[in-house]
Amino acid sequence: MDKSIEAAEVLAVDGNFAVVQLPGRNFPAAAIQGDSLSVLRDTIKELSECLAEGDLDEAKYPLAEIESVISAMMSTYEDASQERGFKLPYAT
């Protein structure tokens, strides 16, 4: 691994989430604070447990939370990409 460190450009910040442009990459990256990443993982684990137990009613809550977090992140990502003239690396 190359020990040289190049600065990433921060394109947008929204709470515990940021959109950054890493040097040498064609598309921006999504960055999430470690504590927020841990909460997201725990929410996915909760969803998995609900599904394993067959409790579809309880599974709705963590699934809705995951969808809300990911949707907010993607919205920030798409807005920041559009503002900077980047095409999205996926179809919408």
Side-chain angles (χ1 to χ4, degrees):
M1 183 163 134
D2 185 5
K3 298 288 182 179
S4 67
I5 297 177
E6 296 181 54
E9 180 183 2
V10 177
L11 306 181
V13 177
D14 183 9
N16 292 329
F17 169 72
V19 179
V20 297
Q21 179 61 39
L22 300 173
R25 300 300 306 226
N26 291 328
F27 299 103
I32 186 170
Q33 290 294 126
D35 57 337
S36 297
L37 181 61
S38 177
V39 168
L40 187 57
R41 181 207 50 209
D42 291 346
T43 305
I44 293 168
K45 184 177 178 182
E46 179 184 353
L47 172 61
S48 178
E49 290 168 357
C50 289
L51 293 175
E53 294 169 3
D55 194 344
L56 299 182
D57 284 334
E58 275 301 308
K60 293 175 185 177
Y61 301 105
L63 181 59
E65 179 63 21
I66 293 164
E67 193 276 332
S68 175
V69 169
I70 298 297
S71 290
M73 291 171 62
M74 290 202 56
S75 179
T76 300
Y77 182 90
E78 290 171 359
D79 289 348
S81 293
Q82 182 180 21
E83 287 173 12
R84 297 295 182 114
F86 288 106
K87 291 183 180 181
L88 296 176
Y90 53 85
T92 56

